[in-house]
Each structure stands twice: as structure tokens, then as C-alpha cells.
């Protein structure tokens, strides 16, 4: 007990003195997710199946060990928003992990940089938020940059239109999941919402795997290690360090710190998996990065971030 308390005290001291170190480490942890998926030999749906079941068991075990947390599951119509959030999470996870198999880590990772601007766009009708003209123009630049990545990843001798389409679907569904969970947080506590959403997501993924007769039981030991790696590194360490660092950093810092994550993922894929990085990736990714960063740093972008990330919200990227 004393050793545990001392370790927590040291981590708290590190967080207060070097919060950006924790946040940067979290970004690196999250960027490993597509690399783990690509390194496995199993299919995207099978990977998502085991990632979901192991992840939900880990969360339930953590809540049980905490002991003092009481989970009040949604009732009646309260299940509507967790249901849709779980559905979008399931579609996003399956399409993301399948898209990585069809294309390359760089293609899919660069597409995820659209998440901040998509969330801001969906917030217009759902929450009445109105970004300014400069935000909209830089958003257009970011979308054009992603268009370059999409065009490069879906054409040419090594292109795969289906994989790029799945990657785009994954990004869209994750942004829908985010705004849905944000709306649900107005009336629900975080842990019941998250557990409910993950239960629904896991059931949808399981039904999909059984309906398509996916070989969920033919998983090698090495592939199981890759699944556990996703649960522990991006799903566990990444999320924990992000939550820990939020106490000491301004609200608009985390989204900007996570913008280089796709480039980190591409670099890891090049180093460990031998995947190539083309000029299309560099040019389109740089254009998207510049557009998203400039949009978020504009006056209305900062106002949106201050609103979006200081209200209680729910989930990290689909890993």
C-alpha cells in the first residue's frame, strides 16, 4: 500500500511539473493502435471482436476493483443515446481495423486528422455552435488535404478504393459517436454511459462476426498479444495519461498535441512493418495538419475548443 501511494505521489508530481510529457506520451500510445492491427495476421472484424470483449472485461474488472463506484445502467428511453453511440463505435472499429488491412497505416491514420473539424461541424446543428469564417476556410483546406490522401490511397497500382472508403466511414462514424456521447453526458454519468455504450458496441460486433461467419476462434497466440497490446497501450496507458494530464493543461492543448499522431503511426509502420510513405502522404497530410491546426487556433476555433473539451465528454479514438 505504501509503495502504491508513493508511486501515485510521484506520478502526480511529474504531472504537475511536466504535463506535456504525459500528454505527448499519451499521443504516442494512441498512435500505436493501427500498427498493432496491421502487424496481426487476423481480419479486422476478428481483431475488433477480441479487442471489444477483452476491453469490456478490463473495464468491468477495474470498476469492480475500485469498489466504491456504483453503476446505474440506463433504463427505458435512456438507452437510446448509448445504443446509437455503441452502434457508431462498432461500425467505426470494424471499418477502421479492416481498412488498415486493406490499405496502409499512413492512409487511415492521416484521415483521422479530420475528427476535430467534423466534430465542430456536427456541433453546429446539435449544439448551436457557430464557428467563424476563418475556421470554415481552414476547415476547407484540411478537407482538401484529406482529399489528396484519399485520392492517392484509392488510385494507382497499390491503391485500394474499398479500404479508403472504409477508413472514411470509420472517421465519420467516430465523429457521430463523439457528439452522441456528448449529448448523452447531459443526463448520464460517465461510467454508466461508457459501459453501456461498450456493451452495445460489443454485441453489434459479435453479431456481425457471427453473421459473416468470421473465424473468431482461430486466433494465434501472436495475434492475441497484438489485441492485448491495443487494449493495454492505446486503450489503457494512452487514455490514463490523457485523463491524468488534463488537470494541468489548458483545454485547447490536447487536440493540438494529438495532431502529429498520424505521422507517428506512419513512422512506426515504416520502421516496424516496412510500409512506404509517399509524397502524396506527406503533401496531403501536411495540408490537413495545417488546415486543422489553423482552424483550431483561430479565434472561433479556440472558443469551440474551450466549450467542447471542458464540458464532460466521453471517449478517446476508436481503439
Amino acid at each position: 500500500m505504501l509503495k502504491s501511494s508513493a508511486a501515485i505521489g510521484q506520478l502526480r508530481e511529474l504531472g504537475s511539473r511536466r504535463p506535456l510529457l504525459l500528454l505527448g506520451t499519451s499521443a504516442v500510445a494512441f498512435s500505436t493502435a493501427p500498427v498493432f492491427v496491421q502487424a496481426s495476421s487476423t481480419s479486422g472484424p476478428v481483431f475488433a471482436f477480441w479487442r471489444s470483449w477483452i476491453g469490456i472485461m478490463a473495464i468491468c474488472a477495474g470498476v469492480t476493483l475500485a469498489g466504491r463506484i456504483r453503476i446505474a445502467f440506463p433504463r427505458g428511453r435512456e438507452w437510446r443515446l448509448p445504443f446509437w453511440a455503441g452502434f457508431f463505435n462498432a461500425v467505426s472499429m470494424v471499418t477502421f481495423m479492416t481498412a488498415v488491412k486493406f490499405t496502409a497505416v499512413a492512409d487511415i491514420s492521416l484521415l483521422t486528422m479530420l475528427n476535430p473539424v467534423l466534430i465542430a461541424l456536427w456541433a453546429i446543428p446539435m449544439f448551436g455552435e457557430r464557428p467563424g469564417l476563418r475556421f470554415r476556410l481552414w476547415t476547407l483546406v484540411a478537407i482538401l488535404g484529406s482529399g489528396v490522401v484519399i485520392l492517392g490511397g484509392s488510385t494507382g497500382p497499390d491503391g485500394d478504393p474499398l479500404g479508403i472508403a472504409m477508413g472514411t466511414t470509420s472517421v465519420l462514424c467516430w465523429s457521430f459517436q463523439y457528439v452522441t456521447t456528448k449529448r448523452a453526458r447531459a443526463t448520464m454519468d460517465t461510467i454508466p454511459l461508457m459501459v453501456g455504450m461498450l456493451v452495445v458496441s460489443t454485441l453489434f460486433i459479435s453479431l456481425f462476426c457471427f453473421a459473416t461467419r468470421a473465424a473468431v476462434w482461430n486466433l494465434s497466440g501472436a495475434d492475441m498479444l497484438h489485441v492485448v497490446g491495443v487494449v493495454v497501450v492505446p486503450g489503457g496507458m494512452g487514455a490514463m495519461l490523457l485523463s491524468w494530464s488534463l488537470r494541468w493543461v489548458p483545454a485547447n492543448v490536447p487536440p493540438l498535441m494529438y495532431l502529429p499522431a498520424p505521422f507517428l503511426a506512419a513512422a512506426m509502420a515504416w520502421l516496424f512493418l516496412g510500409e512506404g510513405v509517399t509524397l502524396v502522404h506527406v503533401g496531403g497530410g501536411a495540408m490537413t495538419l495545417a488546415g486543422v491546426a489553423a482552424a483550431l487556433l483561430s479565434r472561433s476555433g479556440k472558443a469551440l475548443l474551450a466549450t467542447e473539451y471542458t464540458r464532460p465528454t466521453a471517449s478517446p479514438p476508436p481503439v
Side-chain angles (χ1 to χ4, degrees):
M1 180 67 71
L2 292 177
K3 290 183 179 180
S4 177
S5 301
I8 293 175
Q10 291 175 357
L11 183 58
R12 183 180 293 111
E13 183 179 358
L14 177 63
S16 62
R17 292 185 177 182
R18 297 205 169 37
L20 293 184
L21 176 61
L22 298 185
L23 195 56
T25 305
S26 174
V28 174
F30 274 123
S31 67
T32 63
V35 181
F36 277 120
V37 176
Q38 185 69 291
S40 70
S41 60
T42 190
S43 67
V46 172
F47 199 107
F49 175 89
W50 286 106
R51 187 264 177 267
S52 297
W53 279 106
I54 294 176
I56 200 170
M57 287 189 291
I59 290 176
C60 291
V63 172
T64 302
L65 290 175
R68 294 174 297 178
I69 300 176
R70 181 182 178 184
I71 299 179
F73 280 102
R75 296 180 179 179
R77 289 180 59 84
E78 291 180 348
W79 268 105
R80 182 171 55 89
L81 291 176
F83 174 88
W84 283 111
F87 171 77
F88 289 131
N89 180 266
V91 177
S92 178
M93 189 182 302
V94 171
T95 52
F96 174 83
M97 294 181 175
T98 305
V100 171
K101 294 289 186 179
F102 281 12
T103 58
V105 169
D107 290 322
I108 306 306
S109 298
L110 291 172
L111 289 178
T112 63
M113 286 196 295
L114 278 177
N115 277 323
V117 293
L118 288 175
I119 290 169
L121 291 176
W122 306 153
I124 294 174
M126 292 188 69
F127 306 111
E129 298 175 1
R130 293 288 186 271
L133 178 61
R134 184 174 297 180
F135 183 94
R136 296 172 187 262
L137 291 176
W138 280 113
T139 295
L140 180 60
V141 172
I143 293 174
L144 290 175
S146 292
V148 172
V149 175
I150 291 172
L151 182 64
S154 59
T155 59
D158 298 323
D160 194 304
L162 180 59
I164 293 298
M166 285 187 172
T168 305
T169 301
S170 174
V171 173
L172 288 172
C173 285
W174 190 85
S175 65
F176 290 148
Q177 173 207 332
Y178 186 92
V179 294
T180 303
T181 53
K182 177 177 173 59
R183 170 164 286 186
R185 276 294 289 122
T187 57
M188 296 182 62
D189 292 335
T190 300
I191 291 179
L193 171 61
M194 289 296 296
V195 173
M197 181 193 73
L198 291 176
V199 167
V200 172
S201 175
T202 301
L203 291 177
F204 268 116
I205 292 173
S206 300
L207 288 174
F208 176 81
C209 287
F210 292 143
T212 58
R213 297 183 179 181
V216 295
W217 307 116
N218 294 333
L219 195 74
S220 68
D223 287 340
M224 181 59 75
L225 288 177
H226 289 125
V227 174
V228 173
V230 170
V231 174
V232 173
V233 181
M237 184 175 69
M240 182 190 70
L241 292 179
L242 171 61
S243 300
W244 196 278
S245 64
L246 288 178
R247 179 177 178 181
W248 295 284
V249 297
N252 63 340
V253 169
L256 299 179
M257 287 288 290
Y258 274 74
L259 288 180
F263 294 98
L264 292 174
M268 291 180 192
W270 170 76
L271 181 62
F272 297 111
L273 305 177
E275 287 192 359
V277 178
T278 66
L279 290 178
V280 172
H281 292 133
V282 175
M287 185 183 298
T288 304
L289 178 64
V292 173
L296 295 178
L297 289 172
S298 66
R299 181 177 299 179
S300 61
K302 290 180 179 179
L304 284 173
L305 284 171
T307 301
E308 186 73 28
Y309 290 94
T310 53
R311 294 175 184 170
T313 54
S315 57
V319 295

